[in-house]
Amino acid sequence: MSSATMMTLAGHDYRSAARNRVLAALLVTLLTVTTVSVLIAAFDYQTKLDAYREYRKAAEVAGIQNVAPLQIKPLQLMRPVVEYIEFVGGVIAIALGYLSVARERGNRTLWLLRTRPVSTGELTFGPALGALGLIATLVFSTAGIGVVSIGIWGHDWLNGEELLRLAIWCVASIVYMGIFYCLGAALTAISRVLANGLVAALVVWLVVVLIIPQIGDTMDPDNQLPGGLFKSLNLDKSHETRVLAKFSTYERLRNDLEETSFAKQYERFSFAILEIKVKDKFRDTSIGYVIDATRRNIEWLALYAVVMAGFLYWNVRRSTAHPRGEDA
Amino acid sequence: MITLIAAHQLRMLRRERLFLAILIALLLMTALAGFIGWSSHNTIVKVYEESSAMLASEGKPAPPDPFALKPPLSFLSNMTIYIMLIGALLAIIVGHLAIASDRASGSTRLIFARPVRRSTWFIGKLAGVGSALAIVLAASYVLSIISLVIVNDSLPTAEEFGRLALFYLVSLSYMLLFALVGITAALIVHGRSLALLVALGVWMIVTFMVPQFTSGLRPTASLNPIVNPVDTSQRFFDVTAHFHSVSISELYRDLSAAILQSAPAQSDSVGSSEIVPISAILIVLVLLMAVLVNRLDLSEQASHE
């Protein structure tokens, strides 16, 4: 595979995707919605932070030395961004994959490309590189907006470790969206009718991102009552753990079901690295510990990425060198 | 002629493999909804019993059973979410196919070369789409009743039959909304896939984004039929709460919860505050569609993308 050819194809795909109006509308929607979400959270954070500082000052004046640290962490404000990347980001990546194939087939340039000395690998991973470039632009822009919003409106600038955590999350998000890109492109490449490839990919998205996590979520005993079952029973965390230990088979089944969804793997890793959940076991632990403890999530994500990249390569290789179906 | 167009629409859908795949998925999830509800409920009852025994051993009083008065239909509360997710997507595809297939094959030119009025075609298409969705939900209704009989070990009462029918009627209106979104997008946007993406974008905005801005509901919280109260004390939400009446997915969820009696805090009566906005948006979309059909360029050639 020649890197010059790859870069040419990647650059072409990046520019073409950025020029597409529907895709641009989806990207702008995602950026707007994540910005507003972080802004709302940042204002809320600022209020709570100011109240905590006031309380701390008053406690110190009163001679109280052991003031409990603030439960909220600035990276927690990124939670809506994680969720939007998980939901909307998946659709955007599928659209990118679909457009990448549909554009070449629609303009009938795919067959022109095949007359040139371009290998299947270059034809597969060149446009994929361009799409990943666009995805990276989107993810880093979103993260940048988050950092600025937390700093300016939340009155708390992220420190070096938090920025590193955010950068690691960005990489995980690019991999996650990359999996959906491969899915969209692969299914479109083998479909006679382009729209069918898109719909098939969207059905997979629906199952992986919404249905499986939804089933797992509703099977969670604590999600059956507003406010939580254990809270309504006045049970603390230690009681909850002791009771749930007696339902380990049910919990394992529920967990295994959730783990079949790579969206859930991405969500769990993101929540851990960004310290999003207040009562999580990953609170106040080092980056190394989080990466080690979430190795299973990372491995599954990496496995899905490799499998989907292979699936895309196989489908591009399998697609005929001549127009067929609606392209003919 | 209207019947003919509607019947053609139904035949066309029967041949669409993707439509059939999503239909099977919806019916499968309907069957699963009862089982999941029953399985979760059973586990939680056992969790409650364990918790009570543990508290008793510590000399503490057992709290009241939070599920003691849970109505039988609440086992199907997950159906609300499946309609919002799979049902709405199915409706978008049905609406999309109703227009896009004709436009893509160029058969609208052929149809209007015959003495067919645009209004007849438009009403025929609407009837076809409505019938397809009604058939889907009728099958889902039957499956729900079978699930209830298996789970509760008894036939539902007349009131429960009525409530379930009302729930599916409301679901039909909700799905029709998205079918109209699919139709409208297919009429406005040139290119099948792009039209589908636009309709999907609207669905995502309605299902995940609007509830966050009107009620502070996070996207993942939208997947659970039991909604936890969200702290929306900020001034931002004081303003956006006024737009709650246009948050269609929340209105549908509230209405369904009231009909299926799945949320204890939810009012048991079905309110006009939910029905009126849904009906109003349906009417607006039908009118918009009528205008778009009137402006449809009948000289267009077959276009695949």
Side-chain angles (χ1 to χ4, degrees):
Chain A
M1 280 194 284
S2 145
S3 60
T5 314
M6 291 265 285
M7 290 314 288
T8 307
L9 287 168
H12 167 70
D13 214 72
Y14 187 101
R15 284 188 299 275
S16 306
R19 276 199 296 262
N20 186 284
R21 278 183 302 169
V22 174
L23 195 66
L26 278 172
L27 290 171
V28 169
T29 308
L30 179 64
L31 273 177
T32 311
V33 83
T34 49
T35 306
V36 177
S37 310
V38 177
L39 274 178
I40 297 167
F43 282 125
D44 189 41
Y45 178 68
Q46 181 206 338
T47 314
K48 286 175 179 159
L49 192 66
D50 288 346
Y52 175 76
R53 283 174 181 157
E54 287 285 320
Y55 163 74
R56 198 183 169 100
K57 205 183 283 177
E60 278 168 6
V61 169
I64 302 166
Q65 296 300 317
N66 293 328
V67 180
L70 184 65
Q71 284 293 305
I72 317 163
K73 297 217 167 190
L75 280 179
Q76 257 181 275
L77 276 58
M78 294 297 287
R79 182 170 184 161
V81 181
V82 173
E83 294 189 5
Y84 278 117
I85 291 281
E86 186 181 344
F87 287 27
V88 187
V91 174
I92 289 176
I94 287 174
L96 262 173
Y98 160 79
L99 287 170
S100 171
V101 176
R103 194 170 36 242
E104 302 302 341
R105 271 173 65 175
N107 297 336
R108 304 171 73 86
T109 45
L110 180 64
W111 296 278
L112 195 68
L113 263 175
R114 282 182 180 273
T115 63
R116 312 286 303 161
V118 179
S119 69
T120 307
E122 287 163 348
L123 206 56
T124 307
F125 299 115
L129 209 60
L132 286 179
L134 193 69
I135 290 170
T137 309
L138 170 76
V139 171
F140 280 107
S141 307
T142 315
I145 290 169
V147 171
V148 172
S149 304
I150 295 167
I152 295 178
W153 289 282
H155 295 179
D156 198 358
W157 290 95
L158 299 183
N159 61 32
E161 194 203 315
E162 286 164 339
L163 284 173
L164 183 60
R165 283 176 183 269
L166 199 60
I168 294 170
W169 168 76
C170 285
V171 174
S173 303
I174 294 166
V175 172
Y176 171 74
M177 286 178 70
I179 296 172
F180 276 115
Y181 165 85
C182 291
L183 178 77
L187 292 178
T188 309
I190 51 164
S191 299
R192 275 179 183 274
V193 179
L194 292 170
N196 285 357
L198 176 68
V199 177
L202 290 173
V203 170
V204 176
W205 168 83
L206 185 77
V207 173
V208 168
V209 178
L210 303 177
I211 308 281
I212 295 176
Q214 198 277 336
I215 294 175
D217 204 36
T218 46
M219 281 173 76
D220 186 347
D222 211 26
N223 281 345
Q224 297 298 317
L225 285 176
L229 171 72
F230 294 104
K231 210 171 175 183
S232 73
L233 294 175
N234 297 321
L235 291 179
D236 58 20
K237 193 74 188 168
S238 66
H239 282 94
E240 180 184 331
T241 313
R242 275 163 61 197
V243 171
L244 284 179
K246 297 188 177 175
F247 297 89
S248 55
T249 311
Y250 179 85
E251 276 295 300
R252 204 186 62 241
L253 271 174
R254 190 177 75 79
N255 186 54
D256 288 350
L257 177 76
E258 282 192 344
E259 285 198 342
T260 57
S261 157
F262 61 83
K264 206 69 194 172
Q265 306 278 5
Y266 163 74
E267 186 188 289
R268 285 180 179 177
F269 175 74
S270 301
F271 281 10
I273 197 78
L274 297 179
E275 299 182 285
I276 281 175
K277 289 197 169 173
V278 178
K279 290 177 184 168
D280 206 67
K281 61 180 174 180
F282 300 113
R283 286 292 280 217
D284 301 317
T285 55
S286 69
I287 294 176
Y289 173 80
V290 174
I291 289 179
D292 191 46
T294 55
R295 182 168 289 168
R296 195 177 154 86
N297 303 120
I298 298 169
E299 284 170 356
W300 272 109
L301 260 184
L303 181 71
Y304 275 113
V306 171
V307 168
M308 289 315 296
F311 183 53
L312 175 61
Y313 177 82
W314 182 61
N315 280 331
V316 170
R317 206 171 115 173
R318 217 160 66 103
S319 60
T320 58
H322 304 289
R324 65 186 176 120
E326 68 180 27
D327 310 311
Chain B
M1 184 55 79
I2 290 173
T3 321
L4 197 70
I5 295 170
H8 170 258
Q9 194 60 46
L10 288 173
R11 275 197 302 277
M12 190 270 293
L13 282 173
R14 211 178 56 196
R15 285 196 294 265
E16 280 286 341
R17 276 183 299 176
L18 273 168
F19 167 75
L20 292 177
I22 301 175
L23 172 64
I24 290 167
L26 180 66
L27 295 180
L28 196 71
M29 292 315 290
T30 307
L32 263 178
F35 173 74
I36 294 169
W38 169 80
S39 155
S40 313
H41 180 83
N42 262 9
T43 309
I44 289 153
V45 168
K46 284 178 191 157
V47 167
Y48 167 72
E49 286 165 1
E50 279 292 336
S51 307
S52 301
M54 184 181 290
L55 289 171
S57 69
E58 291 172 4
K60 293 175 187 167
D65 182 358
F67 287 94
L69 298 170
K70 212 162 184 213
L73 285 182
S74 62
F75 284 130
L76 295 174
S77 59
N78 270 335
M79 270 314 292
T80 311
I81 303 298
Y82 299 145
I83 294 287
M84 282 165 65
L85 303 181
I86 314 173
L89 190 67
L90 182 83
I92 284 176
I93 289 171
V94 169
H96 169 83
L97 287 172
I99 302 296
S101 300
D102 280 0
R103 290 188 83 182
S105 62
S107 56
T108 36
R109 295 179 82 197
L110 199 67
I111 293 167
F112 289 110
R114 313 279 305 158
V116 178
R117 286 164 59 186
R118 284 177 190 242
S119 56
T120 311
W121 183 74
F122 165 64
I123 296 168
K125 286 284 175 191
L126 274 185
V129 167
S131 312
L133 296 180
I135 292 168
V136 168
L137 288 178
S140 200
Y141 177 68
V142 173
L143 269 176
S144 293
I145 288 173
I146 294 171
S147 303
L148 276 180
V149 171
I150 295 171
V151 167
N152 292 328
D153 210 16
S154 63
L155 261 179
T157 62
E159 194 203 329
E160 285 161 5
F161 271 115
R163 279 182 178 273
L164 204 56
L166 188 61
F167 165 71
Y168 276 108
L169 201 65
V170 171
S171 300
L172 179 63
S173 312
Y174 188 73
M175 282 169 68
L176 266 176
L177 269 177
F178 286 99
L180 290 175
V181 168
I183 291 175
T184 310
L187 283 168
I188 294 175
V189 182
H190 204 75
R192 288 186 68 170
S193 309
L194 293 185
L196 203 56
L197 277 175
V198 168
L200 197 77
V202 172
W203 170 72
M204 283 194 296
I205 290 170
V206 169
T207 311
F208 301 115
M209 297 178 189
V210 175
Q212 193 187 3
F213 294 125
T214 54
S215 307
L217 209 63
R218 287 192 321 273
T220 46
S222 303
L223 299 180
N224 198 323
I226 307 294
V227 179
N228 283 318
V230 183
D231 175 26
T232 52
S233 56
Q234 287 183 64
R235 203 177 301 157
F236 176 84
F237 290 109
D238 291 341
V239 177
T240 58
H242 295 298
F243 297 97
H244 182 81
S245 57
V246 292
S247 180
I248 298 299
S249 62
E250 285 183 274
L251 295 179
Y252 169 70
R253 189 205 294 258
D254 292 349
L255 205 51
S256 303
I259 296 168
L260 297 176
Q261 300 170 300
S262 55
Q266 204 72 43
S267 160
D268 192 40
S269 60
V270 174
S272 57
S273 57
E274 285 95 9
I275 294 169
V276 171
I278 293 178
S279 311
I281 293 174
L282 263 174
I283 293 166
V284 168
L285 280 173
V286 169
L287 290 176
L288 177 66
M289 199 185 136
V291 171
L292 289 170
V293 167
N294 246 345
R295 289 184 179 177
L296 185 66
D297 178 13
L298 298 177
S299 63
E300 66 180 359
Q301 299 283 339
S303 64
H304 296 300
E305 282 299 324

